[in-house]
Amino acid sequence: MYETTYHRAGSVADAASMMASAEDGKYLGGGQTLLPTMKQRLAAPTDLIDLAKIVDLHGISEAGGAVVIGAATTHAEVASSAVINSKLPGLATLAGGIGDPAVRHKGTIGGSIANNDPAADYPSALVALGATVKTNKRELAAEDFFTGMFETALEDDEIVTSVSFPVPAKSAYSKYPNPASRYAMAGVFVAKGADDSVKVAVTGAGQDGVFRVGEMESALSSNWSPEAVAGISVSSDNLLSDIHGSAAYRANLVTVMAKRAVAAAG
Amino acid sequence: MMSKVTMRLNGKTVSADVEDRTLLVHFIRETQGLTGTHVGCDTSQCGACVVHVDGKAVKSCTMLAAQADGSDVLTVEGLANGDELHPVQAAFRENHGLQCGFCTPGMIMTAVDMIERHGAKLDEKTIRHELEGNICRCTGYHNIVKAIKAASDQMAGMKTATE
Ligand SMILES: Cc1cc2nc3c(=O)[nH]c(=O)nc-3n(C[C@H](O)[C@H](O)[C@H](O)COP(=O)(O)OP(=O)(O)OC[C@H]3O[C@@H](n4cnc5c(N)ncnc54)[C@H](O)[C@@H]3O)c2cc1C
Ligand code: FES
Ligand code: FES
């Protein structure tokens, strides 16, 4: 790892002003992506601004038909939260399946979505549930937030402060993890909103990151059952193809994971 | 940048001036001379470096010492009570839960954490799922799972006995 200067921010405003005076700073969430990247010398920020101790970025609360999760909330906290398990069971499953216990104790929802790894789990949940990302500057709909592989609408100095999820009628996530890394080879999040609208979002498979499958959404709108999606396959044209699996293999996984997710949602 | 890092390490307050980029595992091994915590990979995947920070299992190779400033850190050296091994350590010995021993400190710290979180009396499926982040090149895992199961059963017994 190259040299860097560590700062611990006490508040969001504090973090933003530390960033303003840094030459080439980066925010540090749980460090479960950024530190491995720095160890490989693929990133070399002059300053690290640690957000983990900012009290306002922590916690899970429910109000007005939505569940709000602070950006510095860890995957382990989301997975074990009573509110999430009762209102957003798909999200609890998703968070409980990220990496391993030690990664879940440090990694945060804010860090995961800011990173937008095409194989990360959270983006699928945000898109399928129609979540809103709040930052220190504005609010963004999930679909406007994720803009491509490792790309988001965030400006360099912008801080994700929380994510707000409307409580759905049903939700579930099913992922086929890469046996070595545990990242998604394909992960499908299905949600039926309180207004009966259906969304299906896929992670791990797309070249540009998370995407929705309209055909599955309309099939599920008229018939919410695993059989409704069994015959629908996504085109392999824009899917990832690597040593772990070809685009055609991933396309098949998308259908299988979609079936399993609908079955799990009940 | 150099900064002063202070933490409770196995119950003792320790302090040192280290470069900000110092990983927690290097602070523990090199600055403090506790070499029970191992480094087995460069990719945050093997779990040989697992320690507890403020009661939670984390990979000390994927955390800066500076992030742990002010925290309570427990390593494998802090588990035994004098000469008396922690039940998880004893169970690894009794069940041949190790061969070369390289992964063992991380396995044990992960096991203690999983028993604390799930309560004692773990089933095999939970143990295997919870070991996702710990790699062993020798044992084939069966005896590690057996050891953790034995320890968690025994700790359940100890809990009932004290109630
Ligand atoms: C062994 C291993 C296995 C993993 N498996 C999975 C998996 O199966 N699925 C999965 O989805 N992920 C997986 N991950 C990644 C993990 O979920 C990370 O925790 C996550 O991607 C990044 O979150 P973080 O809090 O650690 O962020 P960091 O690593 O601290 O930061 C990541 C990026 O986000 C920025 N950032 C952090 N917080 C904020 C914020 N609040 N506002 C703005 N920018 C911010 C940082 O500047 C940095 O660019 C794995 C990681 C490891 C090491
Ligand atoms: S050395 Fe920390 S995970 Fe391998
Ligand atoms: S005992 Fe040798 S790596 Fe596990």
Side-chain angles (χ1 to χ4, degrees):
Chain A
M1 191 184 292
Y2 291 107
E3 276 191 57
T4 190
T5 300
Y6 172 88
H7 312 263
R8 187 177 284 182
S11 67
V12 172
D14 198 19
S17 78
M18 285 168 169
M19 184 59 94
S21 28
E23 190 191 322
D24 179 19
K26 272 223 166 263
Y27 294 120
L28 182 64
Q32 300 302 290
T33 293
L34 185 51
L35 292 175
T37 315
M38 290 174 68
K39 282 165 66 179
Q40 308 284 339
R41 296 193 164 183
L42 297 173
T46 56
D47 297 80
L48 282 178
I49 297 147
D50 191 353
L51 306 174
K53 301 273 154 117
I54 302 176
V55 178
D56 288 351
L57 297 185
H58 284 272
I60 297 166
S61 61
E62 192 199 349
V67 173
V68 180
I69 305 177
T73 307
T74 63
H75 309 328
E77 286 162 350
V78 171
S80 63
S81 149
V83 173
I84 305 281
N85 276 280
S86 83
K87 303 290 174 185
L88 295 159
L91 198 64
T93 314
L94 177 149
I98 295 178
D100 56 59
V103 167
R104 295 195 287 273
H105 278 148
K106 292 295 297 170
T108 67
I109 185 169
S112 177
I113 65 170
N115 193 52
N116 196 18
D117 189 311
D121 296 297
Y122 268 124
S124 64
L126 269 71
V127 168
L129 291 164
T132 304
V133 179
K134 297 204 169 102
T135 77
N136 58 335
K137 300 183 177 183
R138 55 192 165 144
E139 294 191 2
L140 286 152
E143 286 186 78
D144 300 327
F145 180 84
F146 300 112
T147 52
M149 183 185 276
F150 293 110
E151 298 282 343
T152 68
L154 284 177
E155 290 159 22
D156 282 346
D157 61 343
E158 196 168 2
I159 301 170
V160 176
T161 54
S162 68
V163 184
S164 172
F165 294 91
V167 175
K170 288 178 178 184
S171 74
Y173 181 63
S174 185
K175 126 171 164 181
Y176 188 83
N178 178 312
S181 76
R182 317 318 294 171
Y183 274 96
M185 297 273 295
V188 178
F189 202 104
V190 298
K192 186 181 215 179
D195 60 356
D196 272 354
S197 67
V198 173
K199 284 196 191 130
V200 176
V202 178
T203 192
Q207 281 181 10
D208 300 322
V210 61
F211 64 90
R212 284 172 60 185
V213 187
E215 211 184 325
M216 288 187 180
E217 293 177 353
S218 36
L220 289 169
S221 300
S222 46
N223 173 18
W224 181 269
S225 74
E227 295 73 46
V229 290
I232 301 175
S233 47
V234 297
S235 155
S236 58
D237 283 354
N238 285 315
L239 298 192
L240 289 163
S241 196
D242 54 27
I243 54 164
H244 308 299
S246 64
Y249 180 75
R250 281 189 165 87
N252 187 56
L253 277 181
V254 170
T255 305
V256 177
M257 291 306 114
K259 265 166 42 187
R260 287 189 191 168
V262 177
Chain B
M1 257 287 277
M2 297 282 285
S3 304
K4 191 185 182 77
V5 169
T6 305
M7 65 185 74
R8 299 261 303 163
L9 184 57
N10 299 329
K12 222 175 71 199
T13 301
V14 300
S15 198
D17 285 311
V18 293
E19 282 188 59
D20 286 9
R21 62 175 161 177
T22 307
L23 297 172
L24 178 59
V25 69
H26 293 139
F27 183 89
I28 292 168
R29 287 179 57 87
E30 286 156 31
T31 314
Q32 301 303 323
L34 294 181
T35 53
T37 305
H38 293 166
V39 177
C41 73
D42 241 348
T43 51
S44 307
Q45 278 171 323
C46 76
C49 63
V50 169
V51 302
H52 296 188
V53 174
D54 297 325
K56 294 190 173 100
V58 301
K59 292 177 175 173
S60 61
C61 73
T62 312
M63 181 166 182
L64 299 172
Q67 285 173 281
D69 183 54
S71 287
D72 221 315
V73 178
L74 181 70
T75 71
V76 72
E77 288 95 338
L79 280 184
N81 181 5
D83 283 344
E84 192 194 327
L85 292 180
H86 183 280
V88 174
Q89 291 175 304
F92 269 70
R93 187 170 71 179
E94 280 149 26
N95 292 278
H96 303 283
L98 62 149
Q99 287 180 24
C100 80
F102 197 84
C103 69
T104 315
M107 288 286 177
I108 288 179
M109 296 314 284
T110 298
V112 172
D113 173 73
M114 83 171 79
I115 295 171
E116 279 169 3
R117 269 184 298 114
H118 290 273
K121 282 252 176 212
L122 283 166
D123 58 45
E124 184 182 333
K125 189 165 168 248
T126 310
I127 297 171
R128 289 189 184 272
H129 177 66
E130 288 276 340
L131 283 180
E132 202 71 83
N134 292 76
I135 294 173
C136 175
R137 301 299 301 270
C138 304
T139 64
Y141 301 96
H142 290 307
N143 287 355
I144 291 175
V145 174
K146 258 207 280 188
I148 298 174
K149 175 99 183 75
S152 85
D153 290 349
Q154 196 211 339
M155 287 165 80
M158 284 160 49
K159 223 175 140 208
T160 341
T162 55
E163 268 162 11

